[in-house]
């Protein structure tokens, strides 16, 4: 069975996503399509990379992942196929993959060879899916395109650290209104360790001074801080839901790119 994942900004309002899936079903027998997310904000490669990097390792080896966000072709941003730890990745060399892999070099990387008559207005359909079909049929990557030494690097915004605080930012807000920051568990353990601390949100009124393992460690409706399975600091409301006044984003007044600080009591 062939598994093909989609991470795109196509949404579900128009016919584009259905057309993409129909093409995959036509070209790849017995394919199983998994939507990572098709509701990435338009052209937001940082968010697309964040979503994909949190899930691709959960798929079995041999999966092909299509990253169809900001896929406009140019000489500086050609279409590429990468092979990494048993998985294939198809997309545009626009810096997104460096955010998915933290800049790690891939096991194999090629620039897709184009014939010149492809529909560049919808590359996910006209180029990425046919390339996936070739991979599933056993075509080696060196027959799909010319080998490439490296892909474009894009620097991820890292928290600012000093001796008594960590200054991070909100990088993602999920369906529940949970606020995910760029402060990682590794940074927290290294800088804070067992020292007393307080997490301060944009409004400056947060009183979170401990890290929980689960949402239910606090009463329903109360704020909670924990690390996601991927190791990012998350601020949440136990059983809170965005849009009904119950999500952490709503209650803490936090939006993407807002500052979150960890103040350390030395």
């Amino acid at each position: 069975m062939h598994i093909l994942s989609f991470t795109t900004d196509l949404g579900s309002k128009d016919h584009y996503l259905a057309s993409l899936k129909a093409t995959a079903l036509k070209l790849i027998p017995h394919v199983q399509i998994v939507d990572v997310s098709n509701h990435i904000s338009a052209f937001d490669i940082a968010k697309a990379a964040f979503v994909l990097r949190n899930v691709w390792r959960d798929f079995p080896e041999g999966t092909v992942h299509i990253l169809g966000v900001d896929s406009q072709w140019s000489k500086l941003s050609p279409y590429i196929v990468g092979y990494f730890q048993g998985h294939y990745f198809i997309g545009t060399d626009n810096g997104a993959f460096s955010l998915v892999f933290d800049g790690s070099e891939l096991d194999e990387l090629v620039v897709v060879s184009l014939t010149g008559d492809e529909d560049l207005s919808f590359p996910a359909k006209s180029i990425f899916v046919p390339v996936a079909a070739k991979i599933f049929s056993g075509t080696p990557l060196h027959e799909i395109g010319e080998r490439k030494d490296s892909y474009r690097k894009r620097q991820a915004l890292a928290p600012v650290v000093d001796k008594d605080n960590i200054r991070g930012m909100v990088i993602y807000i999920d369906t529940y209104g949970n606020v995910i920051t760029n402060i990682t568990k590794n940074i927290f353990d290294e800088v804070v360790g067992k020292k007393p601390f307080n997490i301060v949100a944009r409004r400056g009124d947060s009183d979170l001074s401990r890290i929980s393992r689960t949402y239910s460690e606090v009463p329903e409706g109360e704020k909670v801080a924990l690390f996601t399975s991927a190791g990012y600091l998350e601020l949440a409301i136990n059983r809170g839901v965005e849009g009904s006044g119950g999500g952490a984003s709503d209650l803490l007044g936090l939006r993407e790119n807002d500052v979150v600080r960890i103040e350390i009591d030395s």
Side-chain angles (χ1 to χ4, degrees):
M1 180 178 62
H2 301 314
I3 301 176
L4 179 64
S5 89
F6 288 139
T7 305
T8 78
D9 56 3
L10 295 175
S12 55
K13 173 184 176 183
D14 306 301
H15 63 280
Y16 306 120
L17 182 59
S19 180
L20 180 64
K21 291 183 176 182
T23 301
L25 293 170
K26 183 167 59 177
L27 295 181
I28 308 169
H30 312 298
V31 68
Q32 180 172 339
I33 298 171
V34 179
D35 295 310
V36 174
S37 177
N38 294 300
H39 293 277
I40 304 298
S41 302
F43 314 115
D44 193 340
I45 63 174
K47 187 177 294 183
F50 175 81
V51 170
L52 182 56
R53 68 174 288 167
N54 276 276
V55 72
W56 71 264
R57 288 183 175 85
D58 296 330
F59 286 85
E61 291 188 4
T63 297
V64 175
H65 306 275
I66 286 179
L67 182 54
V69 176
D70 193 20
S71 299
Q72 182 65 41
W73 181 91
S74 74
K75 289 184 178 180
L76 295 177
S77 301
Y79 300 131
I80 57 175
V81 184
Y83 180 72
F84 186 64
Q85 296 183 4
H87 295 247
Y88 295 90
F89 299 84
I90 305 172
T92 307
D93 192 13
N94 54 17
F97 286 126
S98 69
L99 301 178
V100 175
F101 306 121
D102 288 327
S104 299
E105 295 304 321
L106 304 186
D107 300 321
E108 191 172 358
L109 179 66
V110 301
V111 176
V112 176
S113 299
L114 301 179
T115 62
D117 59 356
E118 293 88 356
D119 179 8
L120 296 182
S121 69
F122 198 171
K125 173 184 175 181
S126 64
I127 299 170
F128 298 171
V129 167
V131 166
K134 290 181 180 179
I135 292 171
F136 286 132
S137 70
T139 303
L141 293 192
H142 69 265
E143 293 185 13
I144 292 175
E146 183 179 350
R147 293 189 187 277
K148 184 175 173 64
D149 293 331
S150 63
Y151 51 82
R152 180 185 284 188
K153 301 298 194 296
R154 176 178 170 134
Q155 190 67 38
L157 291 175
V160 177
V161 177
D162 62 33
K163 64 178 182 179
D164 56 10
N165 75 78
I166 303 172
R167 181 184 172 93
M169 63 182 292
V170 178
I171 58 173
Y172 193 77
I173 297 173
D174 70 13
T175 302
Y176 298 94
N178 299 329
V179 174
I180 301 170
T181 76
N182 64 341
I183 301 173
T184 65
K185 188 176 186 302
N186 288 340
I187 291 175
F188 180 89
D189 290 344
E190 180 180 340
V191 177
V192 181
K194 297 184 180 302
K195 301 172 187 174
F197 66 91
N198 191 49
I199 300 173
V200 180
R202 185 172 65 88
R203 288 178 174 174
D205 58 356
S206 176
D207 57 358
L208 288 165
S209 57
R210 72 184 183 98
I211 302 295
S212 298
R213 292 186 62 193
T214 68
Y215 302 101
S216 60
E217 286 186 18
V218 302
E220 186 171 327
E222 291 296 317
K223 298 186 289 289
V224 60
L226 67 164
F227 287 104
T228 69
S229 58
Y232 293 94
L233 178 66
E234 174 183 320
L235 308 182
I237 304 295
N238 183 20
R239 299 189 69 81
V241 179
E242 186 180 34
S244 63
S249 173
D250 292 334
L251 292 179
L252 299 178
L254 287 170
R255 297 293 179 264
E256 289 178 7
N257 301 317
D258 282 347
V259 171
V260 172
R261 297 194 319 276
I262 299 179
E263 296 181 346
I264 305 167
D265 184 357
S266 301

